[in-house]
Amino acid sequence: MDIRASTVLPARREDIELHTADGLTLVGELALPETGPPVATLVCLHPLPTHGGMMDSHVLRKASYRLPALAGIAVLRFNTRGTTSDRGTSQGAFDGGEGERWDVAAALEYADFHDLPNPWLLGWSFGTELALRWGRDPLVRGAILLSPPLKRAGDEDVAAWGEFGRPLVALVPEFDDYLRPEEAALRFAAAPQAEVIGVEGAKHLWVGEPYVRVVLDEIVKRLNPAAAPLPTTV
């Protein structure tokens, strides 16, 4: 069977709740390999909720549909404060990336408490800003950034990640609306360990199965290299 955009592969899926230090309950989902423990964990930070971003944004949803089965990776998705998806609405209100620091912390606390191994952050657009600003936690093994705009998170945050020392991978669409590969290479130079990968033909929203596969393959190369590249059939 070919793996298509709508393919959902077997996994143990459970609805979860995250509890923030400032008293909010956030809704989410954890997808685990059907059998055996995961080898690593992907903590997903979604795009801007005021522009439709949520835990079900398509690349994050497809990661949860495929990576537990194909790469043994646990995928934790959740709605940041005030964000709604089919899973429900997280308490609180959108705070422009400030109060969301507690949302990131709650997700990492959940991963730690539930012994989810080797957590990496996957941020997309607004989610990259949360990763850069609030993801420098000793628990975090690294971060993968999709379409980083480098607006709310700026050069000082990139430099701070450089000092943090953990891997940083920026996947930058050739035709991004905010930051394109050539400028991204200059901006991310403040973090010497950062890899900037320009993706030919891609746009900010990563629409199209070929671009989704690029993203998922790059994730797997870091979190479970033995499973890369991912198969296109099952």
Side-chain angles (χ1 to χ4, degrees), residues 162-204:
E163 294 176 6
F164 182 48
R166 303 294 166 87
L168 187 65
V169 182
L171 300 181
V172 182
E174 179 184 9
F175 300 118
D176 194 85
D177 298 319
Y178 304 104
L179 184 71
R180 295 190 176 185
E182 185 174 352
E183 183 185 354
L186 297 174
R187 299 281 304 276
F188 278 100
Q193 77 276 32
E195 296 178 66
V196 176
I197 300 172
V199 180
E200 185 176 352
K203 297 182 180 179
H204 190 76

Side-chain angles (χ1 to χ4, degrees), residues 140-155:
V140 171
R141 299 300 179 92
I144 298 167
L145 311 178
L146 308 183
S147 306
L150 291 185
K151 291 186 179 295
R152 290 179 181 86
D155 296 340

Side-chain angles (χ1 to χ4, degrees), residues 3 42 59 63 66-67 70-71 73 144 146 169 171 197 209-232:
I3 296 173
L42 194 65
V59 176
R66 302 181 200 179
L67 297 187
L70 298 180
I73 295 170
I144 298 167
L146 308 183
V169 182
L171 300 181
I197 300 172
E209 182 63 18
Y211 303 115
V212 173
R213 287 180 175 168
V214 168
V215 171
L216 298 185
D217 277 339
E218 292 294 338
I219 292 168
V220 174
K221 284 180 190 177
R222 276 75 186 181
L223 275 68
N224 185 9
L230 292 174
T232 58

Side-chain angles (χ1 to χ4, degrees), residues 120-140:
W120 279 66
L121 299 175
L122 173 65
W124 181 3
S125 193
F126 173 69
T128 69
E129 300 175 315
L130 300 185
L132 286 169
R133 296 181 71 191
W134 313 125
R136 300 190 304 273
D137 185 289
L139 188 70
V140 171

Side-chain angles (χ1 to χ4, degrees), residues 75-87:
V75 179
L76 191 163
R77 297 178 295 140
F78 68 99
N79 286 331
T80 57
R81 56 191 57 210
T83 301
T84 299
S85 71
D86 287 347
R87 170 69 181 89

